[in-house]
Amino acid sequence: ALKEFDIEEVAKHNKEGDLWIIIDGKVYDVSKFGRLHPGGMPPLVDPTVAGKDCTDLFFGLHRASVLDEPRYAKLQIGTVPKPAQAKAKKEGQDIVMPYAEAMGTWRRFSPYYKETHHKFRAALRAVLDKEVRPFAKKWDDEATLPTREVDKVLGDSGILACLVASEEGVGDLLRSHNIKLPGDIQAEDYDYFHGLILSEELRRALDGGYGVGDGLYGGISIGLPPLLKFGTKDMIERFAVPVIKGEKRICLAISEPYAGSDVAQIRTTATPTADGGWTVSGVKKWITGGMVADYFTTLCRTEKHGSVMLLLERDDENGSVTTKLLKTSYSAAAGTAYVTIHNARAATDHLIGKVGNGFMQTMANFNFERWGMICGGNFHSRMVLEECMRWA
């Protein structure tokens, strides 16, 4: 345990070569820190700093997170009892820099934001600040794939349900399974501004990290909507509900090494079988969340019937649907996969929508997806602005 010093003892160490300071109740020995300090030694030996409690001065110039960095945290040698200074402004407090939040958050009157939007944001932030934000950087740095425990938290809190809350009929589906959206809002009230808030709060919780975000919810956010839009009631109950609850995972398998995102040029082929099902073979590449997916919303071409969208299930045991991690320019925490499909069987009830409509169903999925990406990107720019304002 760190030693506890009294104020008088700290005050004795107030000169170059023997220099202690107090920040937020913690005692730091900065005797050898002068050559590393960006401002040099003079600010450290200033009479208002050396041997003194300089909490307010420190936080007027630095972010609180600086003290968490190992190279600075190791300078702490003890504490002082009952610090008189104000506590540091910790991350997560409601200290809003200009333009760091969307205008609807802080305007007294907004034509767009209702009470449900503010309740929704507060509920989201409460969950994400506890369950995601403290670990996001570590997950990103260590390329940690999402765990079932985290999935369950996102499911129980209703965050995964938000990804499809605006789809037709989802309100009844959620109520039938006692699934509630954050802030206890109704799916029928969920609009594009709730979607905007969701994108903002997720981006904030991830500290801007795209890799972790894509791993946690990116694959689900694009793989699940087609099932709700075009799947049968039985498919939704069997496959969508477990995903919404955080018990299973799904991703969208469209892009291929031959065609990239040129959806019309895909080569993965589905061949009808005598029993009304399909045999599928091909490869998919750059599939977000594919490494942790149980189900694959898969676009295929056919020889005579146009394009079809099929739900394929992971099959590592027989090797018919397998994945391999792809190295990309961002964190492997996204679980980006190369998917190999070899004579995979899709039963009749695994057809999503109608035969021949696969391409159109894929296109119908893009609008809300792009909205989320735009909102997340916009908020990321606000985070950059906020960081600059705090430092300035």
Side-chain angles (χ1 to χ4, degrees), residues 214-215 217-227 239 243 248-255 284-299 309-314 321-323 334-339 341 352 365 369:
D214 282 350
Y217 61 86
I220 296 174
S221 71
I222 56 179
L224 186 58
L227 198 55
F239 303 114
V243 173
K248 295 287 185 179
R249 280 187 157 270
I250 195 170
C251 69
L252 184 67
I254 302 294
S255 299
K284 299 291 182 179
K285 194 174 183 181
W286 307 292
I287 305 306
T288 302
M291 287 303 300
V292 288
D294 300 287
Y295 311 131
F296 300 79
T297 301
T298 310
L299 181 63
M309 182 175 279
L310 299 170
L311 183 76
L312 301 182
E313 300 183 55
R314 178 181 288 276
V321 182
T322 59
T323 58
T336 308
Y338 183 89
V339 184
I341 306 166
I352 301 174
N365 193 49
E369 171 194 336

Side-chain angles (χ1 to χ4, degrees), residues 95-102 106 379 382-383 385-386 390:
I95 305 169
V96 181
M97 293 291 149
Y99 305 106
E101 301 272 13
W106 50 268
F379 194 74
R382 292 181 183 277
M383 293 174 66
L385 178 61
E386 178 183 13
R390 286 184 183 278

Side-chain angles (χ1 to χ4, degrees), residues 40-55:
M41 180 58 74
L44 299 177
V45 294
D46 185 284
T48 63
V49 174
K52 299 289 198 317
D53 183 342
C54 58
T55 300

Side-chain angles (χ1 to χ4, degrees), residues 190-223:
Y190 193 94
D191 58 22
Y192 267 72
F193 285 92
H194 290 101
L196 179 149
I197 292 168
L198 176 66
S199 297
E200 290 182 340
E201 290 302 314
L202 287 169
R203 184 61 45 218
R204 174 184 174 275
L206 297 168
D207 200 24
Y210 278 89
V212 174
D214 282 350
L216 281 177
Y217 61 86
I220 296 174
S221 71
I222 56 179

